Amino acid sequence: DVKVTQSSRYLVKRTGEKVFLECVQDMDHENMFWYRQDPGLGLRLIYFSYDVKMKEKGDIPEGYSVSREKKERFSLILESASTNQTSMYLCASSGNRAGATYNEQFFGPGTRLTVL
Amino acid sequence: AQKVTQAQTEISVVEKEDVTLDCVYETRDTTYYLFWYKQPPSGELVFLIRRNSFDEQNEISGRYSWNFQKSTSSFNFTITASQVVDSAVYFCALSEYDMRFGAGTRLTVKP
């Protein structure tokens, strides 16, 4: 079974803090994704990566950065957390069989981040 | 611009009723993939089905069926004889270069 794990289920941080959200997958997937999920807005793509040390912006990258130093790990960084970044953050990974767009994504359990 | 529209925010049915979740998408690509995911109360999204843009055959898997119509850019999902365990948020998604999700439909099945 594909396993995508996220470092925390719940996290509470203060405004201005630097926040690291970690995601690890164990299926040797090339592609990894970070989304945030908000009521009524569904999942919105923040950043994705199709290879180590490679990153691409999604729809809402402002206020976030990412790091992918190893294939299995994709980190989301909030440089200076703000209250409007309070949300559920979901990490996902997928393989490259038949091309990146073909493959279903496997999701982690999510991290519910509250910024006070 | 939103590429995937799930107009139904919430649906509530009684067990054993049939229910259809609507999904309308927008793309200029000729090659793309459509997906449905289920997010149960535990929170982890689970893949249900994938359909490529060249295959308009409907698909049935047990109580689940999917109707893909390119002419109307729709990929609807029907649950027959719904059960309480079907209660979840369901997401439709479109994959071109990356994946775009709809806002989701929350389905509640009451006993």
Side-chain angles (χ1 to χ4, degrees):
Chain A
D1 273 358
V2 176
K3 195 96 175 144
V4 179
T5 56
Q6 295 183 229
S7 48
S8 308
R9 286 303 299 267
Y10 300 94
L11 207 53
V12 180
K13 295 292 182 180
R14 297 211 172 270
T15 301
E17 280 192 74
K18 190 168 186 175
V19 181
F20 293 86
L21 303 182
E22 306 286 343
C23 175
V24 177
Q25 51 93 3
D26 66 359
M27 280 301 291
D28 202 33
H29 281 170
E30 290 80 3
N31 313 312
M32 298 188 74
F33 308 83
W34 275 106
Y35 298 89
R36 62 177 283 176
Q37 182 179 5
D38 300 288
L41 297 177
L43 277 69
R44 292 181 291 166
L45 183 63
I46 304 172
Y47 269 97
F48 60 103
S49 169
Y50 284 158
D51 202 353
V52 175
K53 294 192 185 294
M54 174 269 177
K55 61 186 178 184
E56 289 201 38
K57 294 180 180 179
D59 291 332
I60 52 165
E62 296 78 18
Y64 304 94
S65 62
V66 290
S67 171
R68 193 164 181 204
E69 296 295 319
K70 293 185 177 181
K71 190 175 185 180
E72 68 271 18
R73 187 180 297 270
F74 192 34
S75 303
L76 180 69
I77 304 156
L78 287 66
E79 295 290 342
S80 178
S82 63
T83 55
N84 63 13
Q85 292 178 310
T86 291
S87 186
M88 171 69 87
Y89 289 88
L90 296 170
C91 176
S93 72
S94 69
N96 258 355
R97 177 171 52 102
T101 55
Y102 170 87
N103 298 283
E104 68 271 26
Q105 295 183 10
F106 295 85
F107 284 82
T111 296
R112 187 167 292 284
L113 173 66
T114 301
V115 183
L116 302 174
Chain B
Q2 186 172 1
K3 293 194 170 186
V4 180
T5 302
Q6 294 180 255
Q8 304 149 308
T9 306
E10 294 193 31
I11 300 175
S12 181
V13 299
V14 177
E15 213 170 14
K16 297 184 183 174
E17 280 187 45
D18 297 348
V19 58
T20 295
L21 310 181
D22 297 332
C23 174
V24 174
Y25 64 92
E26 177 190 328
T27 179
R28 293 180 180 175
D29 287 352
T30 55
T31 302
Y32 54 89
Y33 295 89
L34 295 163
F35 296 78
W36 275 96
Y37 287 83
K38 174 182 180 180
Q39 186 180 39
S42 61
E44 205 162 310
L45 273 82
V46 176
F47 164 74
L48 294 178
I49 191 172
R50 167 185 39 244
R51 174 64 72 223
N52 78 55
S53 53
F54 299 106
D55 182 2
E56 286 193 72
Q57 273 195 330
N58 291 333
E59 180 153 343
I60 298 175
S61 176
R63 296 184 296 107
Y64 294 172
S65 62
W66 291 269
N67 178 253
F68 175 32
Q69 291 194 342
K70 282 181 81 169
S71 61
T72 56
S73 297
S74 65
F75 186 41
N76 297 337
F77 174 27
T78 297
I79 302 175
T80 303
S82 60
Q83 298 176 2
V84 172
V85 293
D86 295 327
S87 296
V89 180
Y90 290 86
F91 291 96
C92 179
L94 166 69
S95 181
E96 303 162 302
Y97 179 61
D98 51 36
M99 194 170 292
R100 292 289 187 264
F101 287 80
T105 297
R106 180 177 298 278
L107 173 65
T108 302
V109 181
K110 299 177 181 176

